[in-house]
Amino acid sequence: MSDKEIVISVRNLTRNFGERRILNGINLEICQGETLVIMGGSGCGKSTLLRHLIGSMKPDSGEVWMFGQDIAKANEDELDQIRKKFGMLFQSGALFDSMTVGENIALPLREHAKLDEDIISIIIKMKLELVGLRGFENLMPSQLSGGMKKRVGLARALVMDPKIIFYDEPTAGLDPVMTGVVDKLTIDLTRKLNITSVVVTHDMGSVFRIADRIVMLHQGNVLQIGTPDEIKHSKNPIIQQFITGAAEGPISFMQTGDNYLEHLTSKIKE
Amino acid sequence: MILESLGKTTLSVIKQTREVFLLLGQSLYWFFVGPFKKKPVSRKGFFAQTVFAGVESLAIVFFVDFFIGMVLAMQSAYQLQQLGATIYVAALVGVSMTREIGPVLTSLVIAGRVGAAITAELATMKVTEQVEALETLSLNPVRYLVVPRFLALLLMLPCLVIVGDLIGMFGGFVVGVTQLHLTPGLYFDTTINFLTIKDIMTGLLKSAVFSIIITMIACHQGLSTEGGAEGVGRSTTRSVVTSFILIIIADAILTALFYFAKT
């Protein structure tokens, strides 16, 4: 991977929400054309990290370099230019309810590119074909299933021919077959179009199907970065527990500390 | 404890006031500067909002203003009859509709109908990541969502107020002619004689200010929503309540400025 061009570089990214530190000095490099999976338990900071990568959150300290620019310090106009070069698939698809599928996909084209309506209509059909939903352009989002919404969301993310696509839990809430379909789409896009994919997920099946490299986050820190094989054979007990999904282990489901007795009797002492 | 919560509330009010003015500033920026940056306001969105806020509000404005005009005539007739001056019902209805009841009542009705709808829609978009999706598609939410609504209501609310004024006066006219034995011609003439341009203009100016209050509060509440369906409900309620209070306060200030300020 090291011989490839680095498209995203995260340096010492730190972010606090009030008193809580969500990201604790993250360092990460993402190469052109690879599929990088960011995984970790709920509340480990993976969604927050993604929000920083797409520029919708600003870090407390640290840098996020993309296309040769620090997006943490970019102004609105610069950020707009960078955002045209990447696409984002939201967890629920985030389609605009008031528009048809076709209008959803066409929106970025109509706003940013001066194209003929005929050409736009051809592009819509091409992008829908890519996600296997040709002929759906006149439906409203409310008429689609969850999996279809995600695929339309993907078509919309692809419409400006981005160099990077970010996926936020692309397979959450989908049935196994649809999960397979979305995974295959991710792989195809990376291989065929040489798009860089950054996927946030905790669906282990999907992780090992699509990932070129995996980043394991835990409590705001990068635990390990490696290929799927390296992660699978990791000695780290936290990673092992996460992969196997064991209830017992270093990741505790208790988030309240060990002062249970004190907590129970706290009212009485007062 | 009381001081602490009072301090917290004050700080949060100051913060929100700042945010609302910031939003107003951004809206004006996109309205005036947007076209030069080749990012004009979406015409389609503007027309859709105009139809929603204006045309589709006609029925409710009609009902509310018609009946309040009737009530106004009946209530004032009760007093004026004792003085033997029922003819002044026409003047009273005309002046109070154009100066006060028309703009304020219509704006309150619109705050309930349009303001609530704006907040609920934007809040739902916010909690379902649609606002964030707009941003990642390089579309500024203020330019794309707030400005069309802002302009549409700024244009339509004064229009609705004109309609409401007329219908209110018509309500008074119906009472005057059928119950107070005034001739239609006399009622009409008295109304015209007592109305001045200033009455109508101040009413319209008020409604323009109220429209800014309604859209800015509604959009600010909508876009700052967090916490799923419950959050959407909370924002919508807060939007309507805040609009109501601010409309009444603004009304008091504007009335004082227009009619009591020493020039």
CSV table of all heavy atoms in Angstrom, one decimal, chain A residues 55-110:
chain,number,residue,atom,x,y,z
A,55,GLY,N,-15.7,17.0,6.7
A,55,GLY,CA,-15.7,18.4,7.0
A,55,GLY,C,-17.0,19.0,7.6
A,55,GLY,O,-17.2,20.2,7.7
A,56,SER,N,-17.9,18.1,8.1
A,56,SER,CA,-19.0,18.6,8.8
A,56,SER,C,-18.8,18.9,10.3
A,56,SER,O,-19.6,19.5,10.9
A,56,SER,CB,-20.3,17.8,8.5
A,56,SER,OG,-20.2,16.6,9.2
A,57,MET,N,-17.7,18.4,10.8
A,57,MET,CA,-17.3,18.8,12.1
A,57,MET,C,-15.8,19.3,12.1
A,57,MET,O,-15.1,18.9,11.2
A,57,MET,CB,-17.3,17.6,13.1
A,57,MET,CG,-18.6,17.2,13.6
A,57,MET,SD,-18.5,15.8,14.7
A,57,MET,CE,-20.2,15.5,15.1
A,58,LYS,N,-15.6,20.3,12.9
A,58,LYS,CA,-14.2,20.8,13.0
A,58,LYS,C,-13.5,20.3,14.2
A,58,LYS,O,-14.1,20.2,15.3
A,58,LYS,CB,-14.2,22.4,13.1
A,58,LYS,CG,-14.9,23.0,11.9
A,58,LYS,CD,-13.9,23.3,10.8
A,58,LYS,CE,-14.6,24.0,9.6
A,58,LYS,NZ,-13.9,23.8,8.4
A,59,PRO,N,-12.2,19.9,14.1
A,59,PRO,CA,-11.5,19.3,15.2
A,59,PRO,C,-11.1,20.4,16.2
A,59,PRO,O,-11.0,21.5,15.9
A,59,PRO,CB,-10.3,18.7,14.6
A,59,PRO,CG,-10.1,19.4,13.3
A,59,PRO,CD,-11.4,19.9,12.8
A,60,ASP,N,-10.9,19.9,17.5
A,60,ASP,CA,-10.4,20.8,18.5
A,60,ASP,C,-8.9,21.1,18.2
A,60,ASP,O,-8.4,22.2,18.3
A,60,ASP,CB,-10.6,20.2,19.9
A,60,ASP,CG,-12.0,20.2,20.3
A,60,ASP,OD1,-12.8,21.1,19.8
A,60,ASP,OD2,-12.5,19.4,21.1
A,61,SER,N,-8.2,20.0,17.8
A,61,SER,CA,-6.8,20.2,17.3
A,61,SER,C,-6.5,19.1,16.3
A,61,SER,O,-7.2,18.1,16.3
A,61,SER,CB,-5.8,20.2,18.5
A,61,SER,OG,-5.8,18.9,19.0
A,62,GLY,N,-5.5,19.3,15.5
A,62,GLY,CA,-5.1,18.3,14.5
A,62,GLY,C,-5.5,18.7,13.1
A,62,GLY,O,-6.1,19.8,12.9
A,63,GLU,N,-5.1,17.9,12.2
A,63,GLU,CA,-5.3,18.3,10.8
A,63,GLU,C,-5.9,17.1,10.0
A,63,GLU,O,-5.7,16.0,10.3
A,63,GLU,CB,-3.9,18.6,10.1
A,63,GLU,CG,-3.3,19.8,10.8
A,63,GLU,CD,-1.8,19.9,10.4
A,63,GLU,OE1,-1.3,19.0,9.7
A,63,GLU,OE2,-1.1,20.8,10.8
A,64,VAL,N,-6.7,17.5,9.0
A,64,VAL,CA,-7.3,16.5,8.1
A,64,VAL,C,-6.9,16.9,6.7
A,64,VAL,O,-7.5,17.9,6.2
A,64,VAL,CB,-8.8,16.3,8.2
A,64,VAL,CG1,-9.3,15.3,7.3
A,64,VAL,CG2,-9.2,16.0,9.7
A,65,TRP,N,-6.0,16.3,6.0
A,65,TRP,CA,-5.5,16.7,4.7
A,65,TRP,C,-6.3,15.8,3.7
A,65,TRP,O,-6.3,14.6,3.7
A,65,TRP,CB,-4.0,16.6,4.5
A,65,TRP,CG,-3.3,17.6,5.3
A,65,TRP,CD1,-3.0,17.5,6.6
A,65,TRP,CD2,-2.8,18.9,4.8
A,65,TRP,NE1,-2.3,18.7,7.0
A,65,TRP,CE2,-2.2,19.5,5.9
A,65,TRP,CE3,-2.9,19.5,3.6
A,65,TRP,CZ2,-1.7,20.8,5.8
A,65,TRP,CZ3,-2.3,20.7,3.4
A,65,TRP,CH2,-1.7,21.4,4.5
A,66,MET,N,-6.9,16.5,2.7
A,66,MET,CA,-7.5,15.8,1.6
A,66,MET,C,-7.2,16.6,0.3
A,66,MET,O,-7.4,17.8,0.3
A,66,MET,CB,-9.0,15.7,1.9
A,66,MET,CG,-9.7,14.6,1.0
A,66,MET,SD,-11.5,14.8,1.2
A,66,MET,CE,-11.7,14.2,2.8
A,67,PHE,N,-6.8,15.9,-0.7
A,67,PHE,CA,-6.5,16.6,-2.0
A,67,PHE,C,-5.6,17.8,-1.7
A,67,PHE,O,-5.8,18.9,-2.3
A,67,PHE,CB,-7.8,17.1,-2.7
A,67,PHE,CG,-8.8,16.0,-3.0
A,67,PHE,CD1,-10.0,16.0,-2.4
A,67,PHE,CD2,-8.5,14.9,-3.8
A,67,PHE,CE1,-10.9,15.0,-2.6
A,67,PHE,CE2,-9.4,13.9,-4.0
A,67,PHE,CZ,-10.6,13.9,-3.4
A,68,GLY,N,-4.6,17.6,-0.9
A,68,GLY,CA,-3.6,18.6,-0.7
A,68,GLY,C,-4.1,19.8,0.1
A,68,GLY,O,-3.5,20.9,0.1
A,69,GLN,N,-5.2,19.7,0.8
A,69,GLN,CA,-5.7,20.9,1.6
A,69,GLN,C,-6.1,20.4,3.0
A,69,GLN,O,-6.7,19.3,3.1
A,69,GLN,CB,-6.9,21.5,0.9
A,69,GLN,CG,-7.0,22.9,1.1
A,69,GLN,CD,-7.9,23.6,0.1
A,69,GLN,OE1,-8.5,22.9,-0.7
A,69,GLN,NE2,-7.9,24.9,0.1
A,70,ASP,N,-5.9,21.2,4.0
A,70,ASP,CA,-6.3,20.9,5.3
A,70,ASP,C,-7.8,21.3,5.5
A,70,ASP,O,-8.1,22.5,5.6
A,70,ASP,CB,-5.4,21.6,6.3
A,70,ASP,CG,-5.8,21.3,7.8
A,70,ASP,OD1,-6.7,20.4,8.0
A,70,ASP,OD2,-5.2,21.8,8.7
A,71,ILE,N,-8.7,20.3,5.5
A,71,ILE,CA,-10.1,20.7,5.4
A,71,ILE,C,-10.6,21.2,6.8
A,71,ILE,O,-11.6,21.9,6.9
A,71,ILE,CB,-11.0,19.6,5.0
A,71,ILE,CG1,-11.0,18.4,5.9
A,71,ILE,CG2,-10.7,19.2,3.5
A,71,ILE,CD1,-12.0,17.4,5.5
A,72,ALA,N,-9.8,21.0,7.8
A,72,ALA,CA,-10.1,21.6,9.1
A,72,ALA,C,-10.0,23.1,9.1
A,72,ALA,O,-10.6,23.8,9.9
A,72,ALA,CB,-9.2,21.0,10.2
A,73,LYS,N,-9.1,23.6,8.2
A,73,LYS,CA,-8.9,25.0,8.2
A,73,LYS,C,-9.5,25.7,6.9
A,73,LYS,O,-9.4,26.9,6.7
A,73,LYS,CB,-7.4,25.3,8.3
A,73,LYS,CG,-6.9,25.0,9.7
A,73,LYS,CD,-5.5,25.5,9.8
A,73,LYS,CE,-4.9,25.1,11.2
A,73,LYS,NZ,-4.8,23.6,11.3
A,74,ALA,N,-10.1,24.9,6.1
A,74,ALA,CA,-10.6,25.4,4.8
A,74,ALA,C,-11.8,26.3,5.1
A,74,ALA,O,-12.6,26.0,6.0
A,74,ALA,CB,-11.0,24.3,3.9
A,75,ASN,N,-12.0,27.3,4.3
A,75,ASN,CA,-13.2,28.1,4.4
A,75,ASN,C,-14.4,27.5,3.6
A,75,ASN,O,-14.2,26.5,2.9
A,75,ASN,CB,-13.0,29.6,4.0
A,75,ASN,CG,-12.6,29.7,2.5
A,75,ASN,OD1,-13.1,28.9,1.7
A,75,ASN,ND2,-11.8,30.7,2.2
A,76,GLU,N,-15.6,28.1,3.7
A,76,GLU,CA,-16.8,27.5,3.0
A,76,GLU,C,-16.5,27.2,1.5
A,76,GLU,O,-16.9,26.1,1.0
A,76,GLU,CB,-18.0,28.4,3.2
A,76,GLU,CG,-18.9,28.1,4.4
A,76,GLU,CD,-19.3,26.7,4.6
A,76,GLU,OE1,-19.9,26.1,3.7
A,76,GLU,OE2,-18.9,26.1,5.6
A,77,ASP,N,-16.0,28.2,0.8
A,77,ASP,CA,-15.8,28.0,-0.6
A,77,ASP,C,-14.8,26.9,-1.0
A,77,ASP,O,-15.1,26.1,-1.8
A,77,ASP,CB,-15.3,29.3,-1.3
A,77,ASP,CG,-16.5,30.4,-1.3
A,77,ASP,OD1,-17.6,29.9,-1.3
A,77,ASP,OD2,-16.2,31.6,-1.4
A,78,GLU,N,-13.7,26.9,-0.2
A,78,GLU,CA,-12.7,25.8,-0.4
A,78,GLU,C,-13.3,24.5,-0.1
A,78,GLU,O,-13.1,23.5,-0.8
A,78,GLU,CB,-11.5,26.1,0.4
A,78,GLU,CG,-10.7,27.3,0.0
A,78,GLU,CD,-9.6,27.7,1.0
A,78,GLU,OE1,-9.8,27.3,2.2
A,78,GLU,OE2,-8.7,28.4,0.7
A,79,LEU,N,-14.1,24.4,1.0
A,79,LEU,CA,-14.7,23.2,1.4
A,79,LEU,C,-15.7,22.7,0.3
A,79,LEU,O,-15.8,21.5,0.0
A,79,LEU,CB,-15.4,23.4,2.7
A,79,LEU,CG,-15.6,22.2,3.7
A,79,LEU,CD1,-14.2,21.6,3.9
A,79,LEU,CD2,-16.2,22.7,5.0
A,80,ASP,N,-16.4,23.6,-0.3
A,80,ASP,CA,-17.4,23.3,-1.4
A,80,ASP,C,-16.6,22.6,-2.5
A,80,ASP,O,-17.1,21.7,-3.1
A,80,ASP,CB,-18.1,24.5,-1.8
A,80,ASP,CG,-19.3,24.8,-1.0
A,80,ASP,OD1,-19.6,23.9,-0.1
A,80,ASP,OD2,-20.0,25.8,-1.2
A,81,GLN,N,-15.5,23.2,-2.9
A,81,GLN,CA,-14.7,22.6,-4.0
A,81,GLN,C,-14.2,21.2,-3.6
A,81,GLN,O,-14.3,20.3,-4.5
A,81,GLN,CB,-13.5,23.5,-4.3
A,81,GLN,CG,-13.8,24.9,-4.9
A,81,GLN,CD,-14.8,24.8,-6.1
A,81,GLN,OE1,-14.6,23.9,-6.9
A,81,GLN,NE2,-15.9,25.5,-6.0
A,82,ILE,N,-13.8,21.0,-2.4
A,82,ILE,CA,-13.3,19.7,-2.0
A,82,ILE,C,-14.5,18.7,-2.0
A,82,ILE,O,-14.4,17.5,-2.4
A,82,ILE,CB,-12.6,19.7,-0.6
A,82,ILE,CG1,-11.4,20.6,-0.6
A,82,ILE,CG2,-12.3,18.3,-0.1
A,82,ILE,CD1,-10.8,20.9,0.7
A,83,ARG,N,-15.6,19.2,-1.5
A,83,ARG,CA,-16.8,18.3,-1.3
A,83,ARG,C,-17.3,17.8,-2.7
A,83,ARG,O,-17.9,16.8,-2.8
A,83,ARG,CB,-17.9,19.0,-0.6
A,83,ARG,CG,-17.7,19.0,0.9
A,83,ARG,CD,-18.7,19.9,1.5
A,83,ARG,NE,-18.7,19.7,3.0
A,83,ARG,CZ,-19.1,20.6,3.8
A,83,ARG,NH1,-19.6,21.8,3.4
A,83,ARG,NH2,-19.1,20.4,5.1
A,84,LYS,N,-17.0,18.5,-3.8
A,84,LYS,CA,-17.4,18.1,-5.1
A,84,LYS,C,-16.6,16.9,-5.5
A,84,LYS,O,-17.0,16.2,-6.5
A,84,LYS,CB,-17.3,19.2,-6.1
A,84,LYS,CG,-18.4,20.3,-5.9
A,84,LYS,CD,-18.2,21.4,-6.9
A,84,LYS,CE,-19.1,22.5,-6.5
A,84,LYS,NZ,-18.8,23.8,-7.2
A,85,LYS,N,-15.5,16.6,-4.9
A,85,LYS,CA,-14.6,15.5,-5.3
A,85,LYS,C,-14.9,14.2,-4.5
A,85,LYS,O,-14.2,13.2,-4.7
A,85,LYS,CB,-13.1,15.9,-5.2
A,85,LYS,CG,-12.8,17.0,-6.1
A,85,LYS,CD,-11.3,17.3,-6.0
A,85,LYS,CE,-11.0,18.8,-6.3
A,85,LYS,NZ,-9.7,19.1,-5.8
A,86,PHE,N,-15.7,14.3,-3.5
A,86,PHE,CA,-16.1,13.1,-2.8
A,86,PHE,C,-17.6,12.9,-2.6
A,86,PHE,O,-18.3,13.9,-2.7
A,86,PHE,CB,-15.3,12.9,-1.4
A,86,PHE,CG,-15.7,13.9,-0.4
A,86,PHE,CD1,-16.9,13.7,0.3
A,86,PHE,CD2,-14.9,14.9,0.0
A,86,PHE,CE1,-17.3,14.6,1.3
A,86,PHE,CE2,-15.2,15.8,1.0
A,86,PHE,CZ,-16.5,15.6,1.7
A,87,GLY,N,-18.0,11.7,-2.4
A,87,GLY,CA,-19.4,11.4,-2.2
A,87,GLY,C,-19.6,10.8,-0.8
A,87,GLY,O,-18.6,10.2,-0.2
A,88,MET,N,-20.8,10.9,-0.3
A,88,MET,CA,-21.0,10.3,1.0
A,88,MET,C,-22.4,9.5,1.0
A,88,MET,O,-23.4,10.1,0.5
A,88,MET,CB,-21.1,11.4,2.0
A,88,MET,CG,-21.7,11.1,3.4
A,88,MET,SD,-20.5,10.6,4.6
A,88,MET,CE,-21.5,10.0,5.9
A,89,LEU,N,-22.3,8.3,1.5
A,89,LEU,CA,-23.5,7.5,1.6
A,89,LEU,C,-23.9,7.5,3.1
A,89,LEU,O,-23.2,7.0,3.9
A,89,LEU,CB,-23.3,6.1,1.1
A,89,LEU,CG,-24.5,5.1,1.4
A,89,LEU,CD1,-25.7,5.6,0.7
A,89,LEU,CD2,-24.1,3.7,0.9
A,90,PHE,N,-25.1,8.1,3.4
A,90,PHE,CA,-25.5,8.2,4.8
A,90,PHE,C,-26.2,6.9,5.2
A,90,PHE,O,-26.7,6.2,4.4
A,90,PHE,CB,-26.4,9.4,5.0
A,90,PHE,CG,-25.7,10.7,4.9
A,90,PHE,CD1,-25.5,11.4,3.7
A,90,PHE,CD2,-25.2,11.3,6.0
A,90,PHE,CE1,-24.8,12.5,3.6
A,90,PHE,CE2,-24.5,12.5,6.0
A,90,PHE,CZ,-24.3,13.1,4.8
A,91,GLN,N,-26.2,6.8,6.5
A,91,GLN,CA,-26.7,5.5,7.1
A,91,GLN,C,-28.2,5.2,6.6
A,91,GLN,O,-28.5,4.1,6.2
A,91,GLN,CB,-26.7,5.7,8.6
A,91,GLN,CG,-26.9,4.4,9.3
A,91,GLN,CD,-26.7,4.5,10.8
A,91,GLN,OE1,-26.2,5.5,11.3
A,91,GLN,NE2,-26.9,3.4,11.5
A,92,SER,N,-29.0,6.2,6.5
A,92,SER,CA,-30.4,6.0,6.1
A,92,SER,C,-30.6,6.3,4.6
A,92,SER,O,-31.7,6.4,4.1
A,92,SER,CB,-31.4,6.8,7.0
A,92,SER,OG,-31.0,8.1,6.9
A,93,GLY,N,-29.5,6.7,4.0
A,93,GLY,CA,-29.6,7.1,2.6
A,93,GLY,C,-29.7,8.6,2.5
A,93,GLY,O,-29.2,9.2,1.6
A,94,ALA,N,-30.4,9.2,3.5
A,94,ALA,CA,-30.6,10.7,3.5
A,94,ALA,C,-31.1,11.3,2.2
A,94,ALA,O,-30.6,12.3,1.7
A,94,ALA,CB,-29.4,11.4,4.0
A,95,LEU,N,-32.0,10.6,1.6
A,95,LEU,CA,-32.6,11.1,0.3
A,95,LEU,C,-33.6,12.2,0.7
A,95,LEU,O,-34.2,12.2,1.8
A,95,LEU,CB,-33.4,10.0,-0.4
A,95,LEU,CG,-32.6,8.8,-0.8
A,95,LEU,CD1,-33.5,7.8,-1.5
A,95,LEU,CD2,-31.5,9.1,-1.7
A,96,PHE,N,-33.7,13.2,-0.2
A,96,PHE,CA,-34.6,14.3,0.1
A,96,PHE,C,-36.0,13.8,-0.2
A,96,PHE,O,-36.4,13.5,-1.3
A,96,PHE,CB,-34.2,15.5,-0.8
A,96,PHE,CG,-32.8,15.9,-0.6
A,96,PHE,CD1,-31.9,15.9,-1.6
A,96,PHE,CD2,-32.4,16.3,0.7
A,96,PHE,CE1,-30.6,16.2,-1.4
A,96,PHE,CE2,-31.1,16.6,0.9
A,96,PHE,CZ,-30.2,16.6,-0.1
A,97,ASP,N,-36.9,13.9,0.8
A,97,ASP,CA,-38.2,13.3,0.7
A,97,ASP,C,-39.1,14.0,-0.3
A,97,ASP,O,-40.0,13.4,-0.8
A,97,ASP,CB,-39.0,13.5,2.1
A,97,ASP,CG,-38.2,13.0,3.2
A,97,ASP,OD1,-37.6,11.9,3.1
A,97,ASP,OD2,-38.1,13.7,4.2
A,98,SER,N,-38.8,15.3,-0.5
A,98,SER,CA,-39.7,16.0,-1.4
A,98,SER,C,-39.4,15.8,-2.8
A,98,SER,O,-40.1,16.4,-3.7
A,98,SER,CB,-39.7,17.5,-1.0
A,98,SER,OG,-38.3,17.9,-1.1
A,99,MET,N,-38.4,15.1,-3.2
A,99,MET,CA,-38.0,14.9,-4.6
A,99,MET,C,-38.1,13.4,-5.0
A,99,MET,O,-37.9,12.6,-4.1
A,99,MET,CB,-36.5,15.4,-4.8
A,99,MET,CG,-36.2,16.8,-4.4
A,99,MET,SD,-34.5,17.1,-4.6
A,99,MET,CE,-34.3,18.7,-3.9
A,100,THR,N,-38.2,13.2,-6.3
A,100,THR,CA,-38.2,11.8,-6.8
A,100,THR,C,-36.8,11.3,-6.7
A,100,THR,O,-35.9,12.1,-6.5
A,100,THR,CB,-38.7,11.8,-8.2
A,100,THR,OG1,-37.8,12.5,-9.0
A,100,THR,CG2,-40.1,12.3,-8.4
A,101,VAL,N,-36.7,10.0,-6.9
A,101,VAL,CA,-35.4,9.4,-7.0
A,101,VAL,C,-34.5,10.1,-8.0
A,101,VAL,O,-33.3,10.4,-7.8
A,101,VAL,CB,-35.5,7.9,-7.3
A,101,VAL,CG1,-34.2,7.3,-7.7
A,101,VAL,CG2,-36.1,7.1,-6.2
A,102,GLY,N,-35.1,10.3,-9.2
A,102,GLY,CA,-34.3,11.0,-10.3
A,102,GLY,C,-33.9,12.4,-9.9
A,102,GLY,O,-32.7,12.7,-10.1
A,103,GLU,N,-34.7,13.1,-9.3
A,103,GLU,CA,-34.4,14.5,-8.9
A,103,GLU,C,-33.3,14.5,-7.8
A,103,GLU,O,-32.5,15.4,-7.8
A,103,GLU,CB,-35.6,15.2,-8.4
A,103,GLU,CG,-36.6,15.6,-9.5
A,103,GLU,CD,-38.0,16.1,-8.9
A,103,GLU,OE1,-38.3,15.8,-7.8
A,103,GLU,OE2,-38.7,16.7,-9.7
A,104,ASN,N,-33.4,13.5,-6.9
A,104,ASN,CA,-32.4,13.4,-5.9
A,104,ASN,C,-31.0,13.2,-6.5
A,104,ASN,O,-30.1,13.9,-6.1
A,104,ASN,CB,-32.7,12.2,-5.0
A,104,ASN,CG,-33.3,12.5,-3.7
A,104,ASN,OD1,-32.7,13.0,-2.8
A,104,ASN,ND2,-34.6,12.3,-3.6
A,105,ILE,N,-30.9,12.3,-7.5
A,105,ILE,CA,-29.6,12.0,-8.1
A,105,ILE,C,-29.2,13.2,-9.0
A,105,ILE,O,-28.0,13.6,-9.0
A,105,ILE,CB,-29.7,10.8,-9.0
A,105,ILE,CG1,-30.1,9.6,-8.1
A,105,ILE,CG2,-28.4,10.5,-9.7
A,105,ILE,CD1,-30.4,8.3,-8.8
A,106,ALA,N,-30.2,13.9,-9.6
A,106,ALA,CA,-29.8,15.0,-10.5
A,106,ALA,C,-29.4,16.3,-9.8
A,106,ALA,O,-28.8,17.1,-10.3
A,106,ALA,CB,-31.0,15.3,-11.4
A,107,LEU,N,-29.8,16.4,-8.5
A,107,LEU,CA,-29.6,17.7,-7.8
A,107,LEU,C,-28.2,18.2,-7.9
A,107,LEU,O,-28.0,19.4,-8.2
A,107,LEU,CB,-30.1,17.5,-6.3
A,107,LEU,CG,-30.0,18.8,-5.5
A,107,LEU,CD1,-31.0,19.8,-6.0
A,107,LEU,CD2,-30.2,18.5,-4.0
A,108,PRO,N,-27.2,17.4,-7.5
A,108,PRO,CA,-25.8,18.0,-7.6
A,108,PRO,C,-25.5,18.4,-9.0
A,108,PRO,O,-24.8,19.5,-9.2
A,108,PRO,CB,-24.9,16.8,-7.2
A,108,PRO,CG,-25.8,15.9,-6.5
A,108,PRO,CD,-27.2,16.0,-7.0
A,109,LEU,N,-25.9,17.6,-10.0
A,109,LEU,CA,-25.6,18.0,-11.4
A,109,LEU,C,-26.3,19.3,-11.8
A,109,LEU,O,-25.7,20.2,-12.4
A,109,LEU,CB,-26.2,16.9,-12.4
A,109,LEU,CG,-25.4,15.6,-12.4
A,109,LEU,CD1,-26.1,14.6,-13.3
A,109,LEU,CD2,-24.0,15.8,-12.8
A,110,ARG,N,-27.6,19.5,-11.4
A,110,ARG,CA,-28.3,20.7,-11.8
A,110,ARG,C,-27.7,21.9,-11.1
A,110,ARG,O,-27.7,23.0,-11.6
A,110,ARG,CB,-29.8,20.5,-11.4
A,110,ARG,CG,-30.5,19.5,-12.2
A,110,ARG,CD,-32.0,19.7,-12.2
A,110,ARG,NE,-32.6,18.8,-13.2
A,110,ARG,CZ,-33.5,17.8,-12.9
A,110,ARG,NH1,-33.9,17.7,-11.6
A,110,ARG,NH2,-33.9,17.0,-13.8
